[in-house]
Amino acid sequence: MSYHKGMVFIVYFSRIMSSKFPKKEKLKSEILIRRVFEDGKSITSYPLKLIYLPIDELSEVKIQCGVTAPKRIFKSAVKRNRIKRLLRESYRLNKEKIFNNIEGSFAFLFLYLGNEMPEYEDVEKHMKVILKKFLIKVSNEDSIK
């Protein structure tokens, strides 16, 4: 609540979901990560690639997400960690676009494919494109079934 020249302005922020990235939403299971790589489908918006896999309905969250950057290209752990932080932050801020528009649970794995250090704006732009492509692809798959 803020006051301005005797008038009261009340500001309410209404969100359907939290924009946090809690531990239960992180993809950490080695078995599930292996399954995503082996059986998952992919969507690319260079320099990002999303590999996703539908998982069982018993999952307590809609999406479990992991990120990775290639050690072969980025030898420095500092650079790889910076890229992963950018990917996680971009996903965290844009995940609400898909959470309310999908049925079922998915495992996501975001890969960074580029050769140079990215800027946040580029990562966010491509993250939005990938998430939009994912929604279109999943809705088409659901309509076929």
Side-chain angles (χ1 to χ4, degrees), residues 24-37 39-41 51-66 91 99 102-109 134 138 141-142 145:
K24 64 184 177 182
E25 288 183 12
K26 294 181 178 156
L27 181 61
K28 294 187 175 246
S29 166
E30 188 175 327
I31 295 168
L32 189 52
I33 292 171
R34 190 173 298 124
R35 277 187 50 214
V36 170
F37 271 115
D39 303 329
K41 299 175 183 174
I51 304 175
Y52 68 94
L53 180 71
I55 53 178
D56 61 344
E57 294 294 328
L58 301 175
S59 178
E60 59 187 73
V61 293
K62 281 191 168 191
I63 297 175
Q64 288 186 329
C65 178
Y91 169 73
F99 260 74
I102 61 169
E103 303 258 337
S105 298
F106 291 89
F108 279 6
L109 193 57
F134 169 75
V138 168
E141 289 173 359
D142 287 343
K145 290 181 181 178

Side-chain angles (χ1 to χ4, degrees), residues 26 33 46-47 56 58 61 68 74 86 92 104 112 132-133:
K26 294 181 178 156
I33 292 171
Y46 189 82
D56 61 344
L58 301 175
V61 293
T68 185
F74 299 99
L86 292 174
R92 182 185 73 82
Y112 183 75
K132 188 180 286 188
K133 285 182 179 180

